[in-house]
């Protein structure tokens, strides 16, 4: 956001769930889910034209409750999942569903063009329901492109569904109970893109646990990974044993899952809870974080990257460095676009503003 001014997009309702459209590799697309108690919730499809700095959008109606998590299919641009609250007079629970973007929708319209009097509905493909009732906090799509397998992270179990069934309801293939003596409820998780996609990692209170999906067993544990709650984690896209975590202790920590007694590196630049952390998909030295201290920080962690002498940082010593800092109103979540143009989007805690823009000076991206 140093060479180009950021682009601001306002939402009608508050929102705190965001993802890049993973199956779309050539265009910059994001999905944003809203949270409204009084009106029908929405999913905003954001199409960002980075050459002209223009946002086009399509708004879809989400017939269920407030959206707390949204994630897209890795191989099908029309499919994504949401986790949403289902509230009655006596109780509230988190449920999950798979949705399809309709084929016959109007093309995205420029921001400010609200000529359509009504928004199209999403197509409900199926609900994702555990065999034993439990809140589904997030859904993970198989990262290698297998569009039939999804994982639901519940508070006390990991559930596997097969979407490729003859019936309209997906089949529960297996599940892992993760709560018991000495175990804490899960707060977040990521599917490991390495090891033939046979492992995931989950954040359990202050600890991180790795799971082998073939044996349905725990393969490593990072006890007390953070002094307070672990908020988010991500795998290095190029180095199969490297993992980054962030938490309420204001720290960002890098780990080698083969040696979990000490972190490889600790970043202490934030002064309050760190909400999210993400590796850049193409250049793993670039790590993006957002915090309730009202800052989004882009770090170049050259020393732990697959290109320790990479061309992105023109420094003789190859030291790690903070490349960019942006002041936002307590951004809850950040996401890279999945193209080499290095666009990001940050969501503010007020919940109704998205910010899109470059995070590196153009001179650093000339060779991309």
């Amino acid at each position: 956001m140093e060479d180009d001014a950021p682009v601001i997009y306002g939402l009608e309702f508050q929102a705190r769930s965001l993802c890049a459209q993973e199956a779309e590799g050539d265009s910059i697309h994001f999905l944003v889910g809203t949270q409204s108690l009084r009106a029908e919730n929405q999913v905003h499809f954001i199409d960002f034209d980075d050459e002209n700095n223009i946002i086009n959008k399509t708004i879809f109606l989400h017939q269920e409750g407030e959206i707390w998590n949204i994630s897209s299919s890795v191989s099908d641009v029309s499919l994504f999942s949401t986790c949403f609250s289902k509230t009655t007079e006596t109780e509230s629970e988190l449920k999950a569903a798979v949705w399809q973007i309709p084929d016959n929708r109007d093309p995205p319209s420029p921001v400010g063009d609200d000529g359509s009097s009504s928004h199209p509905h999403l197509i409900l493909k199926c609900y994702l329901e555990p065999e034993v009732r439990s809140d589904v906090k997030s859904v993970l799509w198989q990262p290698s492109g297998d569009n039939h397998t999804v994982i639901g992270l519940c508070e006390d179990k990991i559930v596997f569904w097969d979407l490729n069934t003859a019936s309209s309801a997906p089949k529960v293939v297996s599940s892992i109970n993760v709560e018991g003596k000495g175990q804490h409820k899960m707060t977040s998780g990521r599917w490991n893109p390495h090891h033939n996609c046979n492992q995931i990692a989950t954040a359990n209170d202050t600890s991180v646990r790795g799971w082998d999906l073939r044996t349905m067993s725990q393969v490593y544990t990072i006890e007390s990974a953070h002094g307070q709650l672990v908020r988010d984690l991500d795998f290095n896209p190029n180095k199969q044993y490297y993992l980054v975590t962030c938490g309420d202790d204001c720290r960002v920590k890098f780990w080698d899952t083969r040696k979990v007694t000490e972190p490889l590196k600790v970043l202490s630049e934030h002064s309050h809870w760190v909400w999210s952390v993400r590796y850049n998909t193409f250049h793993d030295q670039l790590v993006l974080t957002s915090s309730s201290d009202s800052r989004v920080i882009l770090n170049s962690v050259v020393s732990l990257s697959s290109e320790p002498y990479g061309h992105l940082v023109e420094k003789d010593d190859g030291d790690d460095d903070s490349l960019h800092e942006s002041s936002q109103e307590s951004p809850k979540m950040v996401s890279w676009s999945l193209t080499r143009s290095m666009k990001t989007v940050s969501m503010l805690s007020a919940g109704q503003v998205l910010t899109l823009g470059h995070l590196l000076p153009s001179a650093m991206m000339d060779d991309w």
Side-chain angles (χ1 to χ4, degrees):
M1 299 182 190
E2 297 183 14
D3 290 73
D4 299 309
V7 182
I8 306 300
Y9 175 71
L11 295 99
E12 182 178 356
F13 307 121
Q14 290 194 1
R16 62 182 300 161
S17 58
L18 158 74
C19 73
Q21 194 178 38
E22 294 202 36
E24 182 55 79
D26 298 325
S27 301
I28 300 173
H29 292 164
F30 293 98
L31 297 171
V32 183
T34 68
Q35 292 186 326
S36 173
L37 290 172
R38 295 187 176 91
E40 191 165 16
N41 278 284
Q42 303 169 344
V43 171
H44 290 241
F45 174 83
I46 308 297
D47 179 2
F48 186 41
D49 178 355
D50 62 333
E51 291 186 1
N52 299 302
N53 248 22
I54 295 174
I55 295 177
N56 295 308
K57 47 81 178 173
T58 304
I59 300 174
F60 298 98
L61 296 180
H62 181 270
Q63 66 193 48
E64 298 291 352
E66 298 175 285
I67 302 172
W68 290 89
N69 176 269
I70 190 168
S71 57
S72 66
S73 165
V74 176
S75 59
D76 190 331
V77 294
S78 70
L79 295 180
F80 67 94
S81 62
T82 61
C83 297
F84 52 88
S85 57
K86 195 76 171 180
T87 304
T88 65
E89 293 182 356
T90 59
E91 60 184 359
S92 178
E93 59 180 325
L94 281 175
K95 301 178 73 68
V98 175
W99 305 87
Q100 184 174 31
I101 297 173
D103 291 332
N104 58 351
R105 71 184 189 275
D106 293 331
S109 60
V111 172
D113 181 2
D114 297 318
S116 175
S117 58
S118 62
H119 303 306
H121 278 84
L122 294 164
I123 300 171
L124 175 63
K125 296 293 290 183
C126 62
Y127 291 105
L128 300 173
E129 298 179 334
E131 291 180 314
V132 178
R133 179 176 167 179
S134 181
D135 285 347
V136 184
K137 306 187 76 171
S138 63
V139 173
L140 309 178
W141 293 79
Q142 218 269 14
S144 69
D146 175 3
N147 211 39
H148 304 307
T149 304
V150 295
I151 286 179
L153 300 181
C154 306
E155 286 190 331
D156 57 355
K157 61 173 63 69
I158 304 168
V159 183
F160 300 77
W161 286 282
D162 181 6
L163 303 182
N164 189 26
T165 61
S167 65
S168 58
K171 178 183 177 182
V172 175
V173 178
S174 58
S175 63
I176 306 172
N177 291 320
V178 299
E179 188 178 22
K181 186 176 181 180
Q183 296 273 29
H184 296 280
K185 294 181 178 180
M186 284 187 293
T187 53
S188 64
R190 297 286 283 180
W191 205 316
N192 190 335
H194 308 292
H195 308 292
N196 295 317
C197 300
N198 287 317
Q199 292 185 11
I200 67 169
T202 61
N204 301 66
D205 195 59
T206 62
S207 300
V208 173
R209 308 192 186 283
W211 304 88
D212 190 306
L213 305 180
R214 296 162 297 183
T215 60
M216 312 297 278
S217 61
Q218 192 170 291
V219 290
Y220 61 83
T221 303
I222 308 177
E223 296 289 357
S224 301
H226 287 262
Q228 299 179 47
L229 183 71
V230 180
R231 289 281 179 179
D232 198 14
L233 51 87
D234 197 18
F235 283 98
N236 186 307
N238 298 321
K239 303 192 76 170
Q240 61 180 326
Y241 297 107
Y242 281 19
L243 175 75
V244 62
T245 61
C246 65
D248 284 0
D249 59 359
C250 316
R251 304 291 187 264
V252 177
K253 297 186 179 183
F254 295 83
W255 305 89
D256 184 332
T257 58
R258 298 165 298 181
K259 304 173 184 178
V260 297
T261 53
E262 294 289 339
L264 299 170
K265 186 178 184 66
V266 179
L267 302 179
S268 305
E269 296 168 318
H270 286 291
S271 59
H272 209 258
W273 304 334
V274 186
W275 290 101
S276 63
V277 59
R278 286 292 179 269
Y279 277 105
N280 183 277
T281 305
F282 300 100
H283 299 278
D284 57 20
Q285 71 188 64
L286 301 177
V287 180
L288 189 63
T289 59
S290 65
S291 166
S292 52
D293 64 5
S294 300
R295 292 187 297 164
V296 174
I297 297 178
L298 174 65
N299 278 283
S300 176
V301 188
V302 182
S303 61
L304 299 180
S305 74
S306 58
E307 297 179 350
Y309 304 101
H311 63 273
L312 289 182
V313 180
E314 299 177 358
K315 300 175 70 175
D316 294 335
D317 55 8
D319 284 347
D320 299 336
D321 197 12
S322 175
L323 298 180
H324 178 86
E325 181 177 320
S326 174
S327 296
Q328 305 288 343
E329 187 183 340
S330 191
K332 293 285 187 184
M333 183 172 289
V334 289
S335 176
W336 294 101
S337 67
L338 298 179
T339 68
R340 291 181 179 270
S341 59
M342 263 196 58
K343 293 292 177 176
T344 65
V345 57
S346 61
M347 184 173 298
L348 308 188
S349 64
Q352 293 177 246
V353 179
L354 294 176
T355 305
L356 294 92
H358 285 294
L359 287 184
L360 281 181
S362 298
M364 284 190 177
M365 295 188 289
D366 290 342
D367 296 329
W368 284 39

